Amino acid sequence: MLKKVLFIGLVTIVVGMGLVIPALAKTDLPPSATPTLTADAAATSAASLVVTPGILTVDGRSMPTVIMGAGFPEQQDIAILIHAGGVVSDISYLMKPPAKANEFGAFAGDMTLFARMYGRKLLPPGVYTLSAVDMDGNTLATAPLWLVEPPAEE
């Protein structure tokens, strides 16, 4: 429940910033100098992808991670890919629930299996890129993920 509340708060902030920042823009320009958005430009807002936490300590235990996105077309199915060592793998099936934009173009899902991938030596420590793609394979947004080893015990 707390995750849903935090997600709704994050989406509200992201959407609110998109609505507030233009309102804060200087408005004393003549109408001919005021930029306007065409219907096409307004309909294609930039999508964003966030992985939290973005830095995971890979110690073999469960590493709770949330993958969130906003700015996607409403009700769009989204695949989450990880780019690792020149190989791109679809990890969508590992998210709970699967990534699908809601009526506001946002989604969030738990991804707790990074520890399992690390334990099986599928993901060594390093920086990876996660991509949100549509069902045609078009990249809509990317986010970094950094896996680090735990500090050495003394």
Side-chain angles (χ1 to χ4, degrees), residues 28-46:
D28 61 348
L29 296 172
S32 62
T34 304
T36 58
L37 289 176
T38 64
D40 291 337
T44 58
S45 64

Side-chain angles (χ1 to χ4, degrees), residues 17-102:
M17 290 304 292
L19 299 175
V20 171
I21 290 175
L24 296 176
K26 189 174 182 180
T27 58
D28 61 348
L29 296 172
S32 62
T34 304
T36 58
L37 289 176
T38 64
D40 291 337
T44 58
S45 64
S48 62
L49 186 66
V50 176
V51 180
T52 184
I55 300 175
L56 295 174
T57 302
V58 286
D59 58 5
R61 297 186 312 228
S62 176
M63 295 179 287
T65 307
V66 176
I67 300 174
M68 301 178 274
F72 295 90
E74 107 178 44
Q75 302 303 321
Q76 181 173 33
D77 289 318
I78 299 162
I80 304 297
L81 309 179
I82 187 167
H83 304 258
V87 176
V88 179
S89 299
D90 185 347
I91 60 171
S92 302
Y93 68 96
L94 300 173
M95 281 185 57
K96 303 293 184 232
K100 181 174 181 158
N102 63 14

Side-chain angles (χ1 to χ4, degrees), residues 60 93-94 113-124:
Y93 68 96
L94 300 173
L113 296 177
F114 285 120
R116 187 176 188 189
M117 288 185 244
Y118 170 76
R120 293 185 176 180
K121 301 195 186 312
L122 298 173
L123 292 177

